[in-house]
Each structure stands twice: as C-alpha cells, then as structure tokens.
Amino acid sequence: MCYFSPNFILLLLLIQAFLANCCIEHERDALLEFKAGVNDKSSRPASWRGEKCCNWAGIRCNNRTSRVVKLNLRNPNMEPIYDEGTFYYWKYHPGLTGKISPSLLFLSDLKHLDLSFNNFSGNKFPEFISTFRNLKYLNLSNTGLSGMIHPQLGNLSKLLYFDLGQDYYFSDFILSADTWWLSNMRSLKYIDMSGVDFKDSNNWVQSLNKLSSLEVLVLSDNNLNQIPNTLTLVNFTSLRVLHLSDQDFNTTIPNWMGSLHSLNVLILKGCNLVGPYPAILGNLTNLVQLDLSSDYNLNGTIPTDIGNSLKGTIPIDIVNLTNLVRLDLSGNNLNGTIPTDIGNLTNLVQLDLSFSNLNGKIPTNIGNLTNLVWLDLSGNNLTGLLSETHLTGLSKLKHLGLAHTNITILFGSEWTPSFQLNEIRLGSNKLGPKFPSWIRRQVQIENLDLTDTGIDDCIPDWVWSLSSLRYLSLSTNILRGKLPASLVHMTKLEYMDLSNNQLVGKIPFLPTSLWYLDLSNNSLSGELRKHFKSPYKNKLIVSNNHTAEVVELFPCGLTSLGFLDLSSNSLSGHLPPCWSNISALVKLANNRLSGLVPRSSSCSVELGVVSLENNSLTGEFPFDLQFCKRLQLLDLGENNFHGIIPDWVGESFSHMAFLILRSNLFSGNIPSRLTQLNNLQVLDLANNNLSGHLPRGLDNFTCMTEQLSCSSLGGIYFGESLIAMTKGLKLEFDQGGLLLWKSIDLSNNNIIGEIPREIVVLTGLLNLNLSNNHLIGNIPLEIGNLISLESLDFHMNNLSGTIPQSMSALYSLEKLNFSYNNLSGSIPTGYQLQALDDSSIYSGNPYLCGPPLEMSCRSSGRFPHNNGNDSNSKNTGDRYKWLYLFIEFGFVAGFLVVFFILLFKVKWRYTYFQMVDTVFDRLYVLMLKPKLKWASAH
C-alpha cells in the first residue's frame, strides 16, 4: 500500500487548481476568434482578457483536462415582465449580434452550448454543430437563425436537451425538410422546435415515437398539417409534457394520446382540431394541465374522467377532476354557463375560460378556489353582479381578467381584498361612477385596465403613487381634472392610455421608461416645452387636444419612435428635417403647419402611414417620399402642394393602398405609371387642376377588383382611421371599414376624353366620382358590373348617349348623380334605381325622359329614344346620318345636271328661260288683279 504525505497531496491539489484556471491555447484562440465576430451588448465576451480563459464569463472547463466543456452566452438581459408559474412574457434587450464563428469547432470536448436570446439574424443555421459528439445540452432558441437544419445534427447521440424554439419576436425562418434524423438522438429528454418549418414532414410522429426517454416535447407553429390517428406501438410513454400548438391538423384528437399515461401537461391549442373527443383521453389520470383553447370545431362527448356530453357547453362532470392544476378552454366556441360547482376544483392554479361565448352568472363558490393564481373570464356574455363574496377566499390571486363581460362590479369603498394583484383587467364592464377605491391597496399592481367602465370622477392622487405600474389604461370614461405636473417618479411605467376623457391642463413631465402614450381626445392645452426630454420609444398619440409648439421637438430626438400622432391640435411652424425617421406612422393632420416639406436624406424603411392633410404645407410633391418604399397610406390632402404628380409615385410605392392628394394645386396629367399600384384601394385626386385623359390600364388596380379586404394595414397599424369623401359627405372609417373601403375620386379637375371601358372591371369599388370634369362619350355599357357601388357621380361633364340598362343591377347604390350632361333617351328602371326617385339626379339633361322626370318618353318627341340601349342609339344615329348624306348628294347631283345642260344646249336654254318668264308673268298678273278691283271700287 502506498502512502502520500500531506505535502504531496497539497502539491497535487495546487497543480490541479493551476491547470483548472488555464486553458488549451488553441481553444482560447478559438474563443477569441468567436469574440471578434460578434458585437457584444452584454459585456460578456467583451470581458474576455488574459490567458486564463477558464475564468472568463460564460466559460467552464474540465478540472482535469482544462478543456472547455461549457459555453453559456445566453442573453442575460431577457427580463420576464410578469412571471407566475408559466404565465410570462419577455422584455427584449439586445444581446450578441454578428455571426457564429466556425472557430468553435476547436472546442472538441464541449458538452453544454447555450447562445439563446441573442440576435444572429441573417446567419444560416451552423452546420458545424453536428461535430460536437459529446454535446449534452444545446440551446439555440430565439436567436433569429435561418436556413436549413442539416440532418447530420442527428449524430449528436448523447444530447439530452435540445432547444431550437424560435418565438415570433425573434425568429427568422428555419427549415427542416424531414424529421427522421431526430430518431437517432435516442438519449433526448427535452425537445423544443417551435417555429421550425416542418411543412414537408409527414412522419414526424413516427420519428419522435422512437425516443423512449423523451419527457418534454414542444412543437408550436411548425406548419404541420398531418398527425396519425393511431400508432402500432406507442414508445414515447415517458412524455410528461406534450405541447402542440398553432398547427393545422384538421382532424380529431389522435387515439394514441390516451396511451401517454405519464402526461401531466397536454396543450393542443390552435391546432384546428375537429370532431368528438376520444374516450381514451379519460386514461390520462395524471393530467394537471389541459389546454384546448382556440379549437372552435371540437364537439361531442368528453370522456367521463374529463367531462360528459360537452355538446357546446362545459360539462358538469368537469368539476370531478380535482387534480387539475390548470384548465384552459379559452378561445373556444362554447356556450352555456360556468358549472355551478366549479369551486370543487380546489387545486386549480389557473382557470382560463376567456372568449368562449359563455353566458349566465359567475358562480359564488368560485371563491373556494383558494390556490387560484390566474382567473380569466374575459370576453364572455356574462350577466349579474360580481361582489366581494366571489373573491374573498382567493388570497393567492395575482391575475384578475374580467374585461368585456358586461357584468356589474360592485365592491364596497372600504373593502380590503385578501389578495395582492399584479394584473387587473376590468375594461368594458359597469364599474363606476366612482373610481374604485379598493385598488388603492393593491400596491403590487403592474397592469391596470379600467377602459370604458363608466367612471365619472377625477383620477385620485393615489393612482400616481402606484409605483409598480407598468400598464395603465383609463381610456373612454368621463375622467375630469388635471394631471400631475410630473410623473417622472413612476420609473416602471411603460404604457399609459388616458384617451377619450375630459382631462384639462398641461401634459406632465413623463418617466423615461414610457414607450406608449395616448392622451388623445381630451382638452389638454399649453405646449410641450422645448426642454422637455421626450422618453417615447414606440407610440406618442396626443391627437385632438389643444397642444401647440411641439413640432420642434420631433423626431430628431426620438430615434426609436414608431408611431407619432399629433393630429387635430393647434400645432404651427415647420416640419423638422428628420420627420420621416419615424419608423411606422406619422399623423400630423388638421393642424396649422406651413412651409415646405424639408428635404431629408433618409426615410425609415418601415414607415407605412404618412398623414399631413388639412395644413398649409406648400411646394411640389415631396421628393424624399420616394425613399419610403413601404408606404401604404399617404394623405397630403387639403394643403397647397403644386406642380405635377411625379411618375415615380407609381414605381416607388409598390405597397401603396391609400393615395389621397385631394384639394391641392396639382396640375398636369395623371401619370400612367400610377396604374402600376396593384394594391391600391383608394385613389383620391379630387379638387386639383389635373388635365389630360384618364390613364389606360385602370384594370391593373387588382385590389379594386376584389370585394373583400386585400390590405394588411389594419393588422400593422391597429386603430388607424381615414376621413373620406363619399355620398357628398365627409365620413370617418375605422379600422374595419378602412380595410374594406375602395374608392376612386377624380372630381373637380380638367380631365378630358372618354371614360375608359376597363373601369368596369373594378367590381370592388364602393365609390366612383368623376364629376365636374370635361369627359365626353358614352357611359360604359357594362357599368352595371360594378355591383358593390354605393355612390356613383358623373355630374357636370359632357357625357352623351343613353344611360345603360345595366345600371339596374346596382342593388347597393345609395347616391347617384348624372346631372348636367348631354344624356338622352329613357331612364332605365330597376329596383334600386326606382328607390332613387330624386329628379335632380338627372337634371340638366334635356333629352332624358321617364320617371322620376315629369317628361314622358311617349309624348316628349325627344330624339333619340331607344329605351336606354347604347348600341341602338348609335345605330339609329348612323342611319339618319346616311339619310341626310344621300339627300344632300341627290340635290347637288340634280343641280349640276341641269346647270351643264343649260350651259351647252342653247336651244334648251332659250326654251327654259322663256318658260320661266311666262310663269313669272302669270304669277304677277294673278297677284295684281285683287289690287285693281279694290282701286276701281273706290
């Protein structure tokens, strides 16, 4: 037996400690090369200095070999905004950017690799990772990688944890042509491949079924459209969590899921599941979380252990599942009431029945759910009262969601709840008229939504003392009084909406954490002072107030501002040079802005909405707008712009849906290239000095040929609205109406020529106004093809011919004006045309007849008369022209024959003139006889 002295053992320990702090030189060089390829926002690789790389941040080495075994560069700045169990969302902070260097190949003993929540957008999925044969943990989630996953990744046979999940906010696009390579990773316990495109994979279940050790499987938004109903042998019975969401299966819940006896969590939300629930699901006795939300087509009988006879309602037997911890049936098309014994589920931590079309009252025994942390019944048709009795026992409650339920919330002013809420959402209920005082004692509140709750009161001072507030919405009430002079102490406040109230006074100093501010539709006055340090990082909406002198503040100091809406105020002065740097929306309409639109060398690539109407801006069409390639709505109406509409408008604005230049001084022709705007659904050039012919190719406005929405504007710019002229009125279209509004208004210009016949292809048009121009020719015969028309105005032109009978097909027509043209014939009949019985519609056309005019077509003698048939009118006119031509030709021919005969035949000439003299003498005598008789009588 060998014995070692204590000194020798100490020496060995010192040597081991020394080696542990060292690292292999080529591995250190590899890490430094990786560092050189990234931009570091988190000071981790930036701190890599010195020789001892095993001491660097995020690096761990094997104590014996000094080789790097762990590289953890997960973005440490990903902050959970709210975290209670699994209920959270992330606040994103930039991490590493750049590229993932293949130098990491030299870390041959690597077992743990975590680069999650960094931004490697633009990088392809790194194929070299498949060479790390010792890897046990791989996390590349939310890194913005794209490209194809190489099947050689299946060589990582020792891998236990595999996370490639790409959330909506981080993902670019990762493809996987198939999933067979996953079956080689036999040691896997955890898989998250959310956001990876598996569209061409049909055998994904069979591949994953070979992983007998798999415990957690998360697949969301993978473009999967097939799932087998049965499996010959269910092998992955170790599954504890099966999360399949946002797929397009269009099938029933597979029977093999009933064999997963170890399942604690089953999430099948948004998978387009149909048909009855399989009875075999009743075998899942260990289930603590069931989420079938947003699957509208499930029906039939739920198994006894889960419920009985669903048939559109929540089964009464669901209250027997006393082990349930989370129950989420939100977003389904249920009906009926909440089970009266819901209080039996005393283990519930989460109860989410939101937006499920439920009705009836909220059971009072819901207060028995003493473990409840999350309660959300929002978006249902509930009735009755919610009192203190319902909530008294919920001492652990953190989230209370009752928005849009139409209930009356009645709590005593002195009530002190037993819970401390993080989130209160009570919008669109009956809560007022007094501001609820019980909220004052919710000192941990982060999200407070009291929108449209009938509060008729002043905002109490204690609201501004809730220092934990991140989200505050008090809009659409009758809140009065002034705001505090400063809110800078609310350092966590990120979202504040006080719109649609009766607030007065000045806008306060605001905290730098704020990224959304909406103060619109109040009576705020004064000015945003020049020394005001604006904190906005996303939305600034102060429209429809009385603020002034704010223009000089933006947008040069607001480099991250996305939405700017200062419309309908009293703003004066000039636009600043960097006004177009706003990244999404600029609305400055209905102010007193003047001068030229300043030149700018840049335009935000994502700028989608520019609304400057109803100011006093001058100059030519803003040249720099051509750099705003993604503009979808441009409104320069009611200003003093002049000059031509440049050709590049039709080339630069390929995404344009709404182009409004009305009531300016634009002149020249309408550019023919304007017809290249395929996505255009509103073209308003009215009240200018435009001339020339209407451009050919109007049928290229393909969006106007569709009767449904073809614009993505509402999805991007939620809440956007538009003022439009139609039916002789100014109407405001909200988000829904805006997406469906399709209109061409070229009225009050100097346009000449005929109406192009291709205009009848635009069957989605709701409004067509070509009035007060100099158009000639006939109304297109197929005008009745525009079956969606609600308003049609051609008055004050020189149109001729008859009104086409196809007009009778316009069943939606509410406004019609053909007055002051040269139309003729009878007015067509039809159900909707007969409803428009105002004779002024047709006045100023002297050759029109028939109702609603008093002139009858039978007695009028008006010409032509052909019952409104354009082709008959044209043919009749042509026949009469030929008749007149033949008469004139006959007269000239006869005259020349007589003339030449008398010229060359002397005897005939003598005889002709002698005959004329004889006739003249006889007529003279006949006329003279009466006069001679009268003279002799007197």
Side-chain angles (χ1 to χ4, degrees), residues 630-681:
R630 293 190 175 271
L631 268 184
Q632 295 185 53
L633 188 153
L634 175 61
D635 192 344
L636 303 179
E638 301 184 51
N639 281 285
N640 297 312
F641 292 109
H642 60 265
I644 64 169
I645 301 173
D647 282 343
W648 53 258
V649 170
E651 299 172 348
S652 296
F653 299 149
S654 58
H655 298 273
M656 184 65 69
F658 304 86
L659 179 60
I660 304 169
L661 307 176
R662 68 178 297 117
S663 301
N664 279 285
L665 304 172
F666 289 116
S667 57
N669 295 341
I670 299 175
S672 59
R673 293 181 183 176
L674 215 59
T675 59
Q676 297 179 18
L677 302 178
N678 318 69
N679 296 312
L680 200 64
Q681 62 183 70

Side-chain angles (χ1 to χ4, degrees), residues 302-548:
I302 285 186
T304 304
D305 289 346
I306 296 182
N308 201 357
S309 300
L310 182 62
K311 295 181 181 178
T313 64
I314 300 176
I316 297 175
D317 290 350
I318 205 169
V319 300
N320 297 328
L321 296 178
T322 54
N323 289 329
L324 272 181
V325 174
R326 293 184 175 89
L327 177 60
D328 187 347
L329 298 176
S330 62
N332 280 287
N333 193 19
L334 301 170
N335 54 58
T337 62
I338 301 171
T340 54
D341 292 329
I342 194 73
N344 291 356
L345 303 177
T346 54
N347 286 317
L348 275 183
V349 173
Q350 177 191 10
L351 176 60
D352 193 342
L353 305 176
S354 60
F355 297 96
S356 295
N357 200 30
L358 297 170
N359 53 54
K361 297 182 179 181
I362 300 174
T364 54
N365 67 7
I366 206 167
N368 295 342
L369 306 178
T370 54
N371 289 306
L372 206 60
V373 173
W374 181 287
L375 174 63
D376 200 336
L377 306 177
S378 303
N380 288 291
N381 299 312
L382 303 176
T383 58
L385 294 174
L386 180 76
S387 65
E388 302 165 10
T389 307
H390 291 83
L391 304 180
T392 297
L394 308 182
S395 59
K396 297 181 180 180
L397 198 64
K398 296 294 183 183
H399 173 101
L400 177 61
L402 297 170
H404 304 282
T405 54
N406 299 316
I407 61 175
T408 298
I409 300 173
L410 188 62
F411 298 146
S413 59
E414 300 301 321
W415 179 53
T416 301
S418 60
F419 46 71
Q420 281 292 323
L421 295 174
N422 295 120
E423 189 162 16
I424 302 175
R425 297 190 180 274
L426 305 178
S428 299
N429 288 297
K430 301 177 184 68
L431 183 62
K434 293 296 182 182
F435 203 99
S437 58
W438 63 271
I439 296 177
R440 181 176 189 173
R441 290 173 278 278
Q442 300 299 300
V443 295
Q444 298 177 12
I445 188 69
E446 296 182 3
N447 300 331
L448 176 60
D449 181 3
L450 303 181
T451 302
D452 190 20
T453 50
I455 299 176
D456 186 353
D457 201 356
C458 293
I459 302 177
D461 292 339
W462 55 260
V463 169
W464 313 116
S465 301
L466 298 174
S467 57
S468 297
L469 271 180
R470 296 177 183 272
Y471 178 104
L472 175 64
S473 180
L474 305 177
S475 68
T476 318
N477 285 290
I478 313 175
L479 296 172
R480 304 182 302 276
K482 297 181 179 181
L483 297 175
S486 175
L487 296 176
V488 295
H489 61 282
M490 302 184 72
T491 55
K492 295 183 179 180
L493 190 63
E494 298 177 349
Y495 182 109
M496 184 166 71
D497 187 350
L498 305 179
S499 61
N500 301 305
N501 281 290
Q502 297 178 6
L503 299 172
V504 297
K506 295 183 178 181
I507 299 173
F509 290 99
L510 297 166
T512 56
S513 57
L514 201 65
W515 61 268
Y516 183 106
L517 174 65
D518 190 347
L519 301 176
S520 60
N521 299 308
N522 280 284
S523 297
L524 298 169
S525 59
E527 63 182 31
L528 289 175
R529 295 162 288 255
K530 293 182 181 180
H531 63 276
F532 181 85
K533 183 180 179 181
S534 182
Y536 316 105
K537 297 181 178 66
N538 197 334
K539 291 189 178 182
L540 170 58
I541 305 174
V542 197
S543 59
N544 208 6
N545 280 280
H546 304 292
T547 55

Side-chain angles (χ1 to χ4, degrees), residues 26-38 45 48 56 58-59 68-73 96 99-115 120 126 128-133 135 138 140:
H26 70 267
E27 292 192 345
R28 181 175 61 248
D29 292 341
L31 291 171
L32 290 175
E33 187 173 340
F34 171 83
K35 172 186 174 181
V38 298
W48 290 358
W56 290 351
I59 306 296
V68 175
V69 294
K70 182 176 183 178
L71 176 59
N72 182 4
L73 296 178
L96 299 178
K99 68 176 184 177
I100 303 176
S101 173
S103 65
L104 296 181
L105 275 169
F106 291 100
L107 308 182
S108 55
D109 281 7
L110 199 63
K111 295 181 179 180
H112 183 114
L113 177 60
D114 190 344
L115 300 176
F120 295 113
F128 66 82
I129 287 180
S130 61
T131 62
F132 293 129
R133 300 300 178 90
L135 209 59
L138 176 60
L140 298 177

